[in-house]
């Protein structure tokens, strides 16, 4: 069974703080993704990575950065958190060459006050 | 731009059949996926259509018409546990999915 884990289920941070969201997958997948999910907007892709140290911007990368130093770990960084980054953050992974069947983590609900 | 349209909410009765439609307008298209998400849960993959036609997996079927930029998810013999949100997602490139905003399905007894 593919397992994708995220470091926290709930997180509360203050405006201006640097925030790290961690994601780990145990299936040796090349592809990893970070999404945010907001009501009525579905899942929007922030960044994805198709290999260690490789990253590509998604549809809404502004205010975010990512790090992939090891194959199993993909981190999302909010350099200076803002209230409009309050959201549910979902990490996913998929086997090489296809993004079709993505395996999602349980999500981190981030509140920025 | 990229857009996927699906109804925001659908209600159906237990044991019935329900169809959730998805129309898309994207710059790239390789195929259409469907995901299910229960409240508080993670999205899980249901099906993928890379070619036109119907794909069946148990009680769930998915259909694609590339010429109409249209697909649907068909759920038969509805059960209470099918109450969830359903997302269509276009495979836009080798690496990327673009998700619709989701359809909330409520199954009533």
């Amino acid at each position: 069974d593919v397992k994708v884990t995220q470091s926290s289920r709930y997180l509360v941070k203050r405006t201006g703080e640097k925030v790290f969201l961690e994601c780990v997958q145990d299936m040796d997948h090349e592809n990893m993704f970070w999404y945010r999910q907001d009501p009525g907007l579905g899942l929007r892709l922030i960044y994805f990575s198709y290999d260690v140290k490789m990253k590509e911007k998604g549809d809404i990368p502004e205010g975010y950065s990512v790090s992939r130093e090891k194959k199993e770990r993909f981190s999302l960084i909010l350099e200076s958190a803002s209230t409009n980054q309050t959201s549910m953050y979902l990490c996913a992974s998929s086997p090489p060459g296809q993004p079709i069947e993505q395996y999602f983590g349980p999500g981190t609900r981030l509140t920025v006050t | 731009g990229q857009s996927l349209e699906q109804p925001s909410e659908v209600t159906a009765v237990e044991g019935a059949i329900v169809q959730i439609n998805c129309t898309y307008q994207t710059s790239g298209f390789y195929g259409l996926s469907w995901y299910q998400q229960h409240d508080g849960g993670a999205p899980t993959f249901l099906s993928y259509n890379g070619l036109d036609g119907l794909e069946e997996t148990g009680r769930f079927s998915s259909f694609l018409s590339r010429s109409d930029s249209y697909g649907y998810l068909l759920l038969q013999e509805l059960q209470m546990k099918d109450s969830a949100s359903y997302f269509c997602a276009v495979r836009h490139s080798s690496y990327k999915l673009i998700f619709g905003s989701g359809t909330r399905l409520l199954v009533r007894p």
Side-chain angles (χ1 to χ4, degrees):
Chain A
D1 244 9
V2 177
K3 191 137 185 172
V4 179
T5 56
Q6 296 183 227
S7 48
S8 307
R9 281 288 271 165
Y10 300 94
L11 209 51
V12 179
K13 295 291 182 181
R14 293 196 180 277
T15 303
E17 277 193 84
K18 190 167 186 175
V19 182
F20 293 86
L21 302 182
E22 303 283 337
C23 175
V24 177
Q25 51 94 4
D26 67 358
M27 278 304 291
D28 205 34
H29 285 169
E30 267 74 9
N31 302 328
M32 295 189 75
F33 309 83
W34 274 108
Y35 295 90
R36 64 177 282 175
Q37 184 173 24
D38 301 287
L41 296 178
L43 284 75
R44 293 181 292 165
L45 183 65
I46 304 171
Y47 267 96
F48 65 98
S49 167
Y50 51 89
D51 203 349
V52 176
K53 296 193 188 295
M54 306 301 289
K55 59 188 178 186
E56 292 282 342
K57 291 180 181 178
D59 299 314
I60 50 164
E62 296 78 20
Y64 303 94
S65 61
V66 290
S67 171
R68 191 152 180 217
E69 296 296 318
K70 292 185 177 181
K71 191 175 187 180
E72 68 271 17
R73 190 180 297 270
F74 191 34
S75 302
L76 180 69
I77 302 152
L78 288 67
E79 296 289 342
S80 177
S82 63
T83 55
N84 62 13
Q85 292 178 309
T86 291
S87 187
M88 171 67 83
Y89 290 88
L90 291 163
C91 174
S93 72
S94 73
Q98 66 88 6
I100 301 163
E101 186 171 355
Q102 295 186 14
Y103 296 85
F104 284 82
T108 296
R109 182 161 296 283
L110 173 68
T111 302
V112 183
T113 62
Chain B
Q2 328 275 19
S3 72
L4 284 82
E5 299 284 337
Q6 49 181 132
S8 58
E9 205 168 286
V10 172
T11 302
V13 176
E14 195 175 14
I17 299 173
V18 73
Q19 180 173 310
I20 299 173
N21 298 321
C22 175
T23 57
Y24 59 87
Q25 196 168 11
T26 57
S27 56
F29 183 85
Y30 287 70
L32 190 70
S33 293
W34 289 91
Y35 281 76
Q36 179 192 59
Q37 185 180 31
H38 287 99
D39 282 349
T44 55
F45 172 79
L46 288 176
S47 68
Y48 176 73
N49 293 74
L51 301 172
D52 284 2
L54 193 68
E55 294 281 342
E56 296 180 70
T57 311
R59 294 187 298 114
F60 294 4
S61 304
S62 58
F63 172 82
L64 174 65
S65 168
R66 286 172 173 255
S67 59
D68 295 320
S69 297
Y70 164 76
Y72 65 72
L73 180 70
L74 191 74
L75 296 84
Q76 302 182 76
E77 300 170 22
L78 279 174
Q79 301 175 9
M80 299 298 291
K81 67 179 182 180
D82 297 329
S83 290
S85 292
Y86 293 84
F87 295 88
C88 59
V90 163
R91 182 182 177 184
H92 177 262
S93 69
S94 295
Y95 300 107
K96 190 175 164 183
L97 289 180
I98 301 173
F99 284 81
S101 55
T103 298
R104 192 173 182 85
L105 171 64
L106 177 62
V107 180
R108 296 190 185 278

